[in-house]
Amino acid sequence: DSGNVTVDPNFKVGFIFLHDENSTYDKNFMDAAKAVQAELGLSDDQVLFKTNIEESNACYEAAGELVDAGCKLVFADSFGHETFM
């Protein structure tokens, strides 16, 4: 239960995934993000996914795109992304 949590309507969060929903590993993270989205009442415009992002400078670029889109938080689901975050 989110209780009395109020989220600014301008808040956005971004997620970077190594694969897409066809990967069980990534799908678990996607499902968790969607559950939190529903719990907090966030719109689809507030929760952004980047899928099939390699463990390379592509991750850095994807993170930059999410920030440019207004994301205040950006999460990546792969240890290999850490260097590029």
Side-chain angles (χ1 to χ4, degrees):
D1 179 21
S2 60
N4 295 325
V5 174
T6 303
V7 179
D8 183 324
N10 296 315
F11 174 79
K12 290 184 181 181
V13 60
F15 295 88
I16 297 172
F17 301 101
L18 183 58
H19 301 103
D20 59 22
E21 66 278 350
N22 294 308
S23 161
T24 303
Y25 180 83
D26 294 282
K27 186 174 182 325
N28 287 333
F29 284 101
M30 290 175 180
D31 289 348
K34 289 175 185 177
V36 170
Q37 175 183 359
E39 183 71 24
L40 295 177
L42 301 175
S43 70
D44 288 342
D45 292 338
Q46 291 177 277
V47 181
L48 307 178
F49 286 4
K50 293 277 190 181
T51 58
N52 296 309
I53 304 300
E54 295 178 16
E55 297 164 320
S56 68
N57 200 57
C59 176
Y60 175 83
E61 292 171 7
E65 290 170 6
L66 290 168
V67 169
D68 289 345
C71 292
K72 299 295 181 192
L73 291 173
V74 177
F75 296 97
D77 76 342
S78 173
F79 289 117
H81 287 143
E82 287 180 13
T83 303
F84 304 97
M85 290 292 290

